[in-house]
Amino acid sequence: MSYIFIDVRKKIAEIVGQSVKEAIDSKELVLNFVSPDKLFSKISIEIPNNRGYGEFSSNIALISTGFFRLPASEISEIILKYINKNCNLCGFIEFCKIENGGFLNFYMNSTFFCKIVKEIDNFGDDYGNSDFGSMCELNNNTFIESNKYSKMPKKILIEYVSANPTGPMHIGNARLGALGDCIAQLLLKSGFAVDKEFYVNDAGNQIEKFGQSLSARYEQIFDEKAIFPDDGYKGEDIKILAKSFADIFNDKYINEDYEVRKRALIDFSLPKNIEKMKNDLEKYKIIFDNWFYESQLYKNGDIEKVVKLLKENSAVFESEGCTFFRTTDFGEDKNEVLIRKNGIPTYFAADIAYHFNKFLIRNYDICINVWGADHHGHISRMKCALKVLGIDPNRLKIITVQLVNVIRNGEINKMSKRDGRAEKLDRFIEEVGVDSARFIFNMQNFNSKMDFDVELAKKNDMSNPIYYIQYAYVRFASIIRTFDLNKIDFNKLNLSVLNSTEEKELIFKLSSFPYEVIESVKKLNPSKISRYMIDLASLCHKFYTEKRVENSDENLSYSRLLLCIQASKVIKTALNMIKISIPKYM
RNA sequence: GUGCCGGUAGCUCAGCUGGACAGAGCAACUGCCUUCUAAGCAGUAGGUCGCGGGUUCGAAUCCCUCCCGGCAUGCCA
């Protein structure tokens, strides 16, 4: 799979490298006690952020002043001579020139722009798809291109949301969901073998508390004086569940043994909560390939097995009636409890077993976990555990997402799970809409904490860019509607008439889509692709305003029409990728 | 105290593997609808890039001190 944009960028890097090499060989440039490889490794081709400086750019002259002991202007003059000689190695370069004291800027010819318009057509819905997933490796938290091309794409498990099933999902889950889902989509488009998973914490301590809370609320229905535990779940949802249980069983469980009553309430309530989560997420267009139940790890003995494995590696000791993991051996501040005094394994123990299952039972190459920032303290000890189990911790990539506050009428509602006052996901999605929510959450970098203003998200202007993008699509759709496409032979067009600034910039933006997808996936950051969409929409609107499609020149009309068709295809592909709806009218 | 994330225009944020005048949107002001959807386009105004050092030909970007905000630091998950 190859794309003109990506190939040209690579080719230009080769030309620059070749030209520098020739300049050195001819002694016109002399390296100052530096190995040539060090210089060549620094060659990278950028896209000038300011349009009007050509399509591609190299700053090699600026960064090599120290290597050659010459001013950038002189170095660039020398390199340019050789570039001019080598330019014909790429058929798309019109010329290269020096600008702003040493930048070597490459301007593309009309063949380039014509070919791009046709290229999009050839790929159709697959435009932007790549086999990056077979030719990369995870290094320092980002994917980098690798020389090792594997026949099989990397097998990735991405786990996200994994909301606690003891209560309704909240706004924080909405951000994690939007982000995780878009990352998964990016990975799929980039040729990884991706499975999306929700980890259901249906066992352990918090389910015990869930049961205690339910039991207390159930008892309170029949006896107002029944005591509610201090650390119980205080949300209304618990009362409602207890009430519906009582509606069916009445006081049948009041005189039952406490453990029996608790179990009955849990078995009644948990499936209801999980079903509700599935429904809400589905409305949010998130569908998981697998729901993994923590209780499985208890039932099949995986937790015991993993603790035993850690023990065999002398990473475990007993103290004060607990089983500890010796995390201090890895430079942590303190040792972590795996099994409590009461015999119940901690979340940490279960999570080690879960990751053991991901890597060694199900054989994923890479696992990505999307976690709220409040979990970040869990990362390093998790990686310690992987080391002991013989799993390279670099194979686990954890994305921590900063928390979200909701702003209503200028007032902040801080998200907080425990007190039951957190913004609920279902209400939130209903109010701002799926498209807006998904887009806004993916627009901002996940490292920044977010104040989500509900009023702004509902507005139909650029405070909410999704409308801006959809509107660009709708405007082009309305142009396309006015033509009878069956009567036009697009193959016969002379597309070189698409040579205005508006047209060339739009085409160039379209050409970079496959590149942008890969750049986003490398950093596992969809905000890049969201901003690309806004830029693309902006160029569409400019073109729309400045250039009339239907005009007296038939070749020009149809060429512009074809450009509209290709641009709307790319917008559609991009919106589909992040699962945002594509309206025909607005 | 220690660790992680952030501090860029009045507001919300891009830019952060060092490089071309620090960019968008919102809010303010000025133009543009008898022609394919004005949910749009063009323009004006607005900045000690938290403070102070350092490295460099060159720093919002890299390093250090400090200040401010959020999160974590549970036998919660």
Side-chain angles (χ1 to χ4, degrees), chain A residues 123-390:
Chain A
F123 279 96
D125 291 343
D126 291 339
Y127 190 57
N129 289 14
S130 69
D131 48 7
F132 182 72
S134 303
M135 46 194 287
C136 66
E137 51 194 278
L138 194 55
N139 182 309
N140 267 339
N141 282 338
T142 53
F143 282 107
I144 55 166
E145 269 146 88
S146 155
N147 299 325
K148 290 172 273 172
Y149 185 92
S150 57
K151 275 187 190 154
M152 295 292 286
K154 290 261 182 311
K155 204 178 147 196
I156 295 192
L157 182 76
I158 177 164
E159 179 220 320
Y160 53 106
V161 185
S162 297
N164 200 320
T166 52
M169 289 185 293
H170 53 79
I171 181 84
N173 298 129
R175 187 178 194 184
L176 297 178
L179 179 70
D181 210 47
C182 284
I183 292 174
Q185 293 292 110
L186 280 170
L187 290 166
L188 281 166
K189 203 156 177 67
S190 304
F192 289 91
V194 184
D195 285 320
K196 298 173 278 182
E197 186 157 283
F198 188 116
Y199 179 50
V200 188
N201 301 125
D202 66 332
N205 211 49
Q206 90 283 357
I207 290 297
E208 173 63 23
K209 278 186 189 169
F210 180 56
Q212 289 166 5
S213 309
L214 283 165
S215 178
R217 293 299 185 209
Y218 175 63
E219 287 173 68
Q220 281 174 345
I221 293 171
F222 303 97
D223 174 10
E224 284 174 18
K225 287 181 212 138
I227 295 162
F228 188 81
D230 286 342
D231 57 349
Y233 291 103
K234 298 180 179 68
E236 281 301 303
D237 53 295
I238 301 290
K239 287 185 193 166
I240 294 167
L241 286 165
K243 175 78 171 48
S244 25
F245 183 82
D247 287 345
I248 296 169
F249 299 105
N250 212 322
D251 62 355
K252 180 179 162 197
Y253 283 88
I254 284 292
N255 295 318
E256 277 282 3
D257 178 65
Y258 179 58
E259 290 301 321
V260 173
R261 178 167 64 240
K262 222 167 51 188
R263 196 66 247 170
L265 276 153
I266 292 170
D267 289 344
F268 173 82
S269 305
L270 208 48
K272 277 193 177 354
N273 277 0
I274 293 169
E275 197 52 35
K276 162 88 172 138
M277 289 199 301
K278 279 190 185 172
N279 284 334
D280 286 350
L281 287 166
E282 212 163 298
K283 280 184 205 151
Y284 197 31
K285 300 189 190 174
I286 296 177
I287 293 167
F288 288 97
D289 298 306
N290 192 31
W291 290 65
F292 190 99
Y293 290 84
E294 185 184 353
S295 54
Q296 283 304 113
L297 299 168
Y298 285 76
K299 278 180 204 148
N300 63 19
D302 278 355
I303 296 176
E304 287 161 43
K305 197 196 304 176
V306 161
V307 172
K308 201 172 143 231
L309 269 171
L310 294 174
K311 236 175 230 171
E312 283 165 10
N313 286 282
S314 346
V316 165
F317 67 97
E318 307 279 338
S319 173
E320 305 158 47
C322 299
T323 305
F324 280 88
F325 179 28
R326 212 187 295 277
T327 25
T328 47
D329 283 2
F330 297 87
E332 298 292 302
D333 291 342
K334 58 180 182 51
N335 293 313
E336 299 290 338
V337 174
L338 291 173
I339 316 243
R340 299 180 181 90
K341 231 176 267 172
N342 63 11
I344 300 177
T346 57
Y347 167 81
F348 182 40
D351 220 22
I352 297 172
Y354 179 38
H355 284 83
F356 177 84
N357 177 287
K358 287 180 181 179
F359 283 109
L360 296 181
I361 308 285
R362 288 189 281 165
N363 294 316
Y364 285 100
D365 297 312
I366 291 163
C367 292
I368 299 172
N369 297 351
V370 183
W371 285 350
D374 52 340
H375 284 59
H376 87 262
H378 187 55
I379 297 173
S380 58
R381 58 175 182 254
M382 193 63 229
K383 296 213 168 196
C384 293
L386 292 185
K387 272 183 216 159
V388 176
L389 295 173

Side-chain angles (χ1 to χ4, degrees), chain A residues 163 168-175 415-417 422-425:
Chain A
M169 289 185 293
H170 53 79
I171 181 84
N173 298 129
R175 187 178 194 184
M415 70 166 267
S416 143
K417 305 177 216 176
E423 177 82 16
K424 304 279 192 299
L425 179 133

Side-chain angles (χ1 to χ4, degrees), chain A residues 431-437 439-440 443 455-475 534 537 541 571 575 580-581 583 585-586:
Chain A
E431 192 170 353
V432 307
V434 174
D435 291 344
S436 293
F439 194 81
I440 292 173
M443 214 172 54
E455 313 304 322
L456 281 184
K458 287 195 284 192
K459 280 168 82 173
N460 291 358
D461 59 22
M462 262 298 267
S463 335
N464 185 2
I466 188 60
Y467 293 108
Y468 184 74
I469 296 166
Q470 289 174 326
Y471 186 49
Y473 181 85
V474 165
R475 283 177 123 185
I534 294 171
H541 285 303
I571 297 174
L575 288 176
I580 285 176
S581 62
Y585 300 91
M586 281 172 85

Side-chain angles (χ1 to χ4, degrees), chain A residues 493-511:
Chain A
L493 294 175
N494 171 16
L495 295 171
S496 64
V497 293
L498 299 173
N499 57 11
S500 68
T501 308
E502 289 82 7
E503 287 152 342
K504 284 168 74 177
E505 287 194 2
L506 176 53
I507 296 170
F508 186 63
K509 197 74 193 175
L510 295 171
S511 75

